[in-house]
């Protein structure tokens, strides 16, 4: 839930004075005023006293309405609540508005209006009847967007009008709320991922701290340690309180690399190759976090979503939902980069052991294919989804073009499990196919099979 509390608004607040109030005259009010002035002038020229009285009545009525509405002193408070505040593309969110009359007077007729970006739909308007002192009115509306992004909602506006419809004054609250439209994710099949090295594999691994009951690696006592873990033999030997080091869990690592280069993609819109890559990266992030991996999101510019640990991975103490939310918020606003290569991402990857590497590439020329091939050297397993721009522009063929096939061959020779992504492909099917190919490659080397669940080597 996201809540916004714009707070009370005093409708007697002077925002431009009486001149601003006069500018709130409606078409009816201006017509009455013009007719009154015209009648008064004609009455003066023709010497008709009755016509003068009619003209004065017509002219004074809208001015009286402006004065009364301008000097009305009642206070209203408004709040906005989003449910939910983060939605996938194409899904609806409901916005709840609440108005409280905190004054001792009945309000007049109110028109409630909330400002929303045009991509979320038409601007919502509600007409509220008189609100009694201490009364509450609640209304709601829905918003929906097929485009990712962060969209501000607000400010909330109240439009006050007199009973005759001569004048309308607008009062605005000051607070905004933000609706985050994230990429749509696709559930992926659970596969057993091959690999036994530290930082990669299925589930969690543990660092060995105990080699046997008598072969214990102790450490110094720290405030908060359980006294039941005190190792008295080591305490007597070192002359200070020592405790047993329990085996520590290590989370398997996964880096999701998203190629955002502008030159690597063609087209725009919800059905474009770039949007497919963003949605695919989001699906992989959520899936790997649910599997218990420590995940990092990396782009071609070398920027990563900051995690709890110094290397950018989501730390083991973070909840998966929080980590996924942070990365999805980043993917909600990710856009094309002006860079022409993947060298920055490679510099980041070669600095540490990455575990599993899942990459979503756009067009790759020979140079960038070579850079991508070198990324495989620092990972225990790697799978690449390659989206070729011309193929997406044509709508897809039965087989990838020759240049794409050559790029895939070079990546596979470097150790990648490389998959060509045709237009409109389902990531879940490609995910399972990549696991089968990776499992088959491992089986051909080891001479064994890994089972039906598949895996990546």
């Amino acid at each position: 839930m996201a809540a916004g509390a714009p707070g009370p608004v005093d409708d007697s607040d002077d925002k431009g004075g009486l001149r601003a109030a006069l500018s709130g005259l409606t078409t009816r009010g201006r017509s009455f005023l013009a007719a009154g002035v015209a009648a008064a002038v004609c009455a003066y020229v023709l010497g008709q006293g009755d016509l003068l009285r009619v003209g004065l009545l017509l002219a004074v009525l809208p001015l009286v309405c402006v004065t009364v509405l301008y000097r009305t002193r009642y206070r209203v408070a408004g709040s906005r609540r989003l449910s939910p505040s983060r939605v996938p593309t194409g899904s609806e969110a409901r916005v709840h508005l609440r108005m409280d009359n905190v004054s001792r007077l009945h309000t007049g007729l109110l028109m409630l209006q909330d400002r929303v970006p045009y991509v979320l739909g038409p601007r919502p308007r509600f007409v509220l009847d008189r609100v009694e002192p201490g009364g509450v009115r609640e209304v709601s509306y829905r918003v929906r967007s097929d485009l990712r992004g962060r969209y501000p909602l607000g400010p909330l506006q109240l439009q006050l009008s007199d009973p005759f419809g001569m004048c309308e004054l607008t009062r605005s609250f000051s607070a905004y709320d933000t609706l985050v439209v994230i990429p749509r994710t696709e559930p992926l099949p659970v596969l057993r991922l091959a690999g036994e090295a530290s930082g990669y594999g299925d589930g969690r691994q543990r660092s060995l701290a105990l080699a046997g009951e008598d072969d214990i690696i102790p450490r110094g006592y720290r405030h908060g340690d359980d006294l039941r873990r005190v190792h008295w033999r080591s305490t007597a030997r070192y002359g200070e309180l020592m405790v047993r080091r329990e085996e520590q869990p290590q989370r398997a690592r996964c880096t999701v690399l998203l190629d955002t280069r502008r030159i690597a993609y063609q087209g725009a819109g919800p059905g474009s190759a770039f949007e497919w890559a963003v949605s695919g990266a989001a699906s992989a992030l959520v899936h790997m976090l649910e599997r218990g991996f420590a995940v990092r999101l990396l782009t071609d510019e070398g920027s990563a979503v900051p995690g709890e640990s110094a290397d950018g991975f989501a730390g083991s103490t973070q909840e998966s939902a929080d980590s996924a939310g942070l990365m999805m918020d980043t993917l909600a606003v990710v856009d094309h980069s002006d860079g022409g290569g993947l060298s920055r991402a490679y510099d980041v990857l070669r600095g540490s052991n990455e575990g599993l590497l899942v990459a979503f590439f756009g067009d790759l020329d020979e140079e960038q294919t070579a850079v991508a091939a070198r990324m495989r050297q620092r990972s225990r397993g790697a799978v690449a989804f390659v989206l070729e721009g011309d193929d997406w522009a044509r709508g897809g063929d039965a087989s990838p073009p020759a240049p794409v096939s050559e790029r895939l061959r070079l990546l596979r020779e470097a150790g990648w499990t490389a998959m060509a992504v045709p237009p409109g492909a389902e990531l879940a099917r490609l995910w399972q196919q990549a696991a089968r190919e990776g499992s088959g490659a491992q089986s051909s080397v080891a001479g064994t099979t890994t089972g039906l669940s598949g895996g990546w080597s």
Side-chain angles (χ1 to χ4, degrees), residues 21 42 45 57 89 158 181 208 213 235-236 282 331-333 345 357 372 391 411 415:
C42 292
V45 173
L57 177 61
T89 55
L158 278 179
V181 180
L208 297 179
E213 184 177 354
T235 298
L331 289 176
V333 296
L357 176 60
D391 190 24
L411 290 176

Side-chain angles (χ1 to χ4, degrees), residues 406-425:
E406 178 64 18
R407 306 289 186 265
L408 296 177
R409 184 187 65 82
L410 294 175
L411 290 176
R412 288 164 182 162
E413 289 180 354
W416 285 85
T417 300
M419 306 295 299
V421 181

Side-chain angles (χ1 to χ4, degrees), residues 309-384:
S309 57
D311 53 9
F313 286 89
S316 59
T317 61
Q318 282 186 311
E319 295 292 338
S320 295
D322 295 337
S323 302
L326 179 62
M327 296 180 186
M328 295 296 280
D329 287 348
T330 301
L331 289 176
V333 296
V334 69
D335 201 356
H336 289 291
S337 67
D338 295 327
L342 302 170
S343 57
R344 292 183 180 179
Y346 171 71
D347 292 339
V348 175
L349 291 173
R350 70 177 180 177
S352 61
N353 188 343
E354 296 303 315
L356 176 63
L357 176 60
V358 180
F360 294 85
F361 293 122
D363 286 339
L364 294 174
D365 55 21
E366 294 183 4
E367 180 182 356
Q368 301 311 315
T369 302
V371 175
R374 292 197 298 270
M375 294 179 182
R376 176 63 178 85
Q377 301 172 1
R378 302 303 302 174
S379 61
R380 299 293 179 178
V383 58

Side-chain angles (χ1 to χ4, degrees), residues 67-142:
T67 304
V68 172
L69 193 61
Y70 171 72
R71 295 183 62 84
T72 299
R73 297 181 179 275
Y74 52 79
R75 295 172 61 84
V76 293
S79 63
R80 182 191 300 104
R81 178 169 54 88
L82 307 182
S83 177
S85 61
R86 183 189 293 120
V87 295
T89 55
S91 299
E92 290 185 342
R94 182 171 289 275
V95 183
H96 302 269
L97 304 177
R98 176 188 172 108
M99 299 301 303
D100 296 83
N101 183 8
V102 296
S103 68
R104 299 180 180 180
L105 300 174
H106 284 80
T107 68
L109 189 66
L110 303 177
M111 177 177 286
L112 189 63
Q113 177 177 279
D114 205 9
R115 287 188 176 180
V116 299
Y118 72 95
V119 296
L120 298 182
R123 181 172 296 182
R125 294 181 174 90
F126 305 93
V127 177
L128 304 180
D129 203 355
R130 297 181 63 189
V131 183
E132 67 278 4
V136 176
R137 297 291 186 272
E138 294 184 356
V139 294
S140 64
Y141 64 94
R142 296 180 179 181

